[in-house]
Amino acid sequence: MEKLLINGGNRLVGTTRVGGAKNAAVGILPAALLADSPCIINNVPYIDDVITLTKILESIGTKISFMGSGSLSVNGTGHIDYRAVSDMVKRMRGSIYLLGALLARNGKVETAYPGGCEIGARPIDQHIKGFEALGAKVTISHGVIRAEADRLVGNEIYLDVVSIGATINIMLAAVKAEGTTVIVNAAKEPHVVDVANFLNAMGANVKGAGTDTIRIKGVESLSGCEYTIIPDQIEAGTFMIAAAATCGDVTIKDVIPKHLESITAKLIEMGVEVIEMEDSVRVRGTCRPKKINLKTLPYPGFPTDLQQPMTALLSTGEGMSIITEGIFEFRYRHVDELRRMGANIKVEDRVAIIQGVEKLTGASLKATDLRAGVALVIAGLMAEGQTEIEDLHHIDRGYENLEEKLAALGADIKRVGKGETILKKVDKDAAI
Ligand code: EPZ
């Protein structure tokens, strides 16, 4: 069983860079199936969710070639099967975008019900509402989602919940529909905008992405393009929080500071120094963060994906902090693990009341989901003594070379399995 071994107490010092945005990549790769010629996509993160998605795309007939240094070409111009029902689909949430892409491309799609982090019920009713509004018939049975339409016709769709997934999926389904589609109460996250920009680079007509109303005028056809994915807002925020948690001094490069404004604001409120530069941020930690109150909200609010790392940071803050999880109903599975390290946190429904303690102590822990896992890594970096973390597959879904990047900043962290240190050095030039 692979696990991470962390000896806490080292300050993170130096410079690191973030990769391409996971939650943009999982929308852009299926979207490339809509083009009549191949697409080249750059800055693709080498993470398990992306690797799984490329395998799913290849299993339905897509030709994918890895060009090295994070670039790959996606060629969906041949025969593409409308059925994506392998177990791989159930391993991640991002596979849900095959619905919108294949419905637009083939007028018919069958996918297994998606998986992803267990952080709540994660229904897909808003996705279905959008597809039906465009004229599709959608059924779910035996764990398979089926959607088909003789023709897709633009419509106005009001999202009852601000949903990133539904916003992206409806955009994919609507780009070649007849007439205009308007998504009202749309999600505004940077990765929604990135998918819209990619669609427009292929010749689509998507306007208003980044606002709560997106207008999509259907076009006859889309052509291949070359596109570079934006930096990962959540990976950048993770390193900002890790720098603060270790009282460190870290410069994170290749970021878009605008996307990090809510994280910057909360860290400054905690007494952390954050210096914004054109495409990087420098974070200088304070050894005991001040207490804050925090609520996760749709962008530009504080992102739910950083609630768990922030809980770890606040567990040794001054006084009592209150975190409210405004997006998912059950995103506190990391708290039980933090308690094993001495954290004093009470959870009532969506609210976590964190009484800061002097220090955390190392323990043997299990990652329960992607961001819970990285929250435990941050706690291990802060703790006195050794921390072991198992079930690393959760973390590997969303972070590329995490322990290598942290070790390069001075962390005492390594991945071990069955008694030896596994050099998980991925040769990016060979792989993706
Ligand atoms: C995306 O999930 C991300 N995943 C999640 O990132 C992220 O936490 C989440 O957005 C919120 O920012 C990907 O992009 C692959 P939603 P998604 O639809 O699309 C409810 C990570 O750590 N809802 O925006 O599934 C839903 O239950 C992962 O990288 C409905 O009620 O999230 C939730 O309460 C975890 N009906 C809220 O909306 C629907 O049809 C927001 O969900 C869809 C969603």
Side-chain angles (χ1 to χ4, degrees):
M1 154 85 74
E2 272 192 343
K3 52 189 169 187
L4 286 177
L5 282 189
I6 304 169
N7 290 303
N10 294 9
R11 294 180 61 231
L12 297 184
V13 178
T15 298
T16 191
R17 68 173 293 276
V18 296
K22 162 178 100 77
N23 293 342
V26 294
I28 286 170
L29 293 179
L33 293 180
L34 297 173
D36 297 340
S37 49
C39 293
I40 292 177
I41 303 163
N42 304 314
N43 203 29
V44 179
Y46 185 72
I47 53 177
D48 286 1
D49 267 12
V50 165
I51 296 163
T52 302
L53 189 54
T54 56
K55 289 194 169 75
I56 295 169
L57 290 170
E58 286 176 324
S59 72
I60 60 173
T62 314
K63 301 251 177 309
I64 294 194
S65 47
F66 302 120
M67 303 157 71
S69 312
S71 295
L72 55 85
S73 89
V74 180
N75 180 352
T77 58
H79 170 71
I80 298 293
D81 190 349
Y82 70 89
R83 288 170 49 81
V85 291
S86 69
D87 279 351
M88 293 187 287
V89 175
K90 301 172 194 163
R91 272 194 230 144
M92 55 186 287
R93 180 75 177 182
S95 53
I96 198 164
Y97 299 129
L98 287 162
L99 285 172
L102 293 178
L103 184 60
R105 185 182 187 282
N106 299 352
K108 187 175 178 181
V109 55
E110 283 185 13
T111 71
Y113 209 92
C117 293
E118 291 176 19
I119 50 181
R122 306 192 80 176
I124 61 167
D125 58 307
Q126 299 301 302
H127 299 243
I128 293 170
K129 175 178 180 179
F131 296 150
E132 288 176 341
L134 297 175
K137 183 174 176 306
V138 186
T139 58
I140 301 176
S141 62
H142 308 295
V144 173
I145 307 163
R146 287 175 187 79
E148 59 186 302
D150 298 333
R151 51 199 275 262
L152 292 168
V153 180
N155 203 340
E156 176 159 318
I157 300 153
Y158 173 79
L159 292 181
D160 303 300
V161 184
V162 176
S163 161
I164 289 173
T167 302
I168 291 176
N169 238 342
I170 295 166
M171 277 200 302
L172 298 183
V175 280
K176 291 173 76 176
E178 293 166 33
T180 298
T181 296
V182 182
I183 306 174
V184 182
N185 199 24
K188 301 184 274 192
E189 272 71 5
H191 33 284
V192 171
V193 177
D194 211 28
V195 175
N197 289 342
F198 173 69
L199 292 169
N200 286 337
M202 292 197 290
N205 185 335
V206 182
K207 290 191 170 44
T211 74
D212 58 11
T213 304
I214 300 177
R215 274 174 207 290
I216 303 134
K217 265 205 188 109
V219 295
E220 282 294 310
S221 66
L222 297 172
S223 44
C225 68
E226 177 160 2
Y227 190 80
T228 299
I229 293 174
I230 57 168
D232 193 312
Q233 167 206 36
I234 305 302
E235 185 188 7
T238 303
F239 277 96
M240 292 171 77
I241 294 169
T246 57
C247 208
D249 183 349
V250 177
T251 298
I252 301 142
K253 297 178 67 174
D254 302 341
V255 301
I256 299 172
K258 172 86 183 142
H259 293 168
L260 306 170
E261 277 180 348
S262 62
I263 301 115
T264 297
K266 296 313 279 186
L267 287 176
I268 289 172
E269 204 181 312
M270 295 160 74
V272 176
E273 188 184 355
V274 181
I275 305 153
E276 283 185 1
M277 291 157 276
E278 196 184 326
D279 62 355
S280 60
V281 287
R282 182 176 179 184
V283 178
R284 301 172 73 169
T286 168
C287 292
R288 192 117 200 250
K290 296 191 181 79
K291 65 184 178 177
I292 58 162
N293 293 337
L294 174 76
K295 178 167 187 178
T296 66
L297 290 167
Y299 190 80
F302 191 91
T304 174
D305 294 349
L306 290 173
Q307 175 266 104
Q308 294 157 297
M310 197 58 119
T311 309
L313 170 56
L314 286 166
S315 63
T316 60
E318 277 173 1
M320 182 175 80
S321 295
I322 298 176
I323 289 185
T324 305
E325 174 52 59
I327 308 293
F328 288 107
E329 59 271 38
F330 187 50
R331 197 164 196 170
Y332 288 116
R333 295 180 67 194
H334 55 302
V335 169
D336 280 344
E337 299 301 300
L338 292 174
R339 287 194 188 110
R340 297 157 68 89
M341 304 176 81
N344 178 352
I345 306 171
K346 206 183 307 149
V347 173
E348 284 161 21
D349 192 19
R350 290 183 179 224
V351 177
I353 299 163
I354 306 167
Q355 192 61 46
V357 295
E358 281 292 317
K359 64 177 170 32
L360 297 178
T361 53
S364 291
L365 309 172
K366 283 183 183 305
T368 52
D369 55 77
L370 167 55
R371 309 299 176 183
V374 82
L376 300 183
V377 171
I378 290 171
L381 296 174
M382 297 158 67
E384 187 180 82
Q386 186 169 87
T387 295
E388 288 186 0
I389 301 171
E390 293 182 356
D391 294 344
L392 302 184
H393 61 278
H394 289 293
I395 300 174
D396 293 340
R397 284 187 48 215
Y399 289 93
E400 179 178 353
N401 295 336
L402 179 66
E403 64 267 24
E404 285 84 355
K405 288 184 175 180
L406 290 170
L409 291 170
D412 180 348
I413 181 171
K414 57 176 181 274
R415 184 180 290 242
V416 296
K418 299 188 202 66
E420 79 281 349
T421 300
I422 297 172
L423 286 181
K424 191 174 175 288
K425 204 77 192 115
V426 172
D427 179 356
K428 272 189 64 166
D429 288 335
I432 192 165

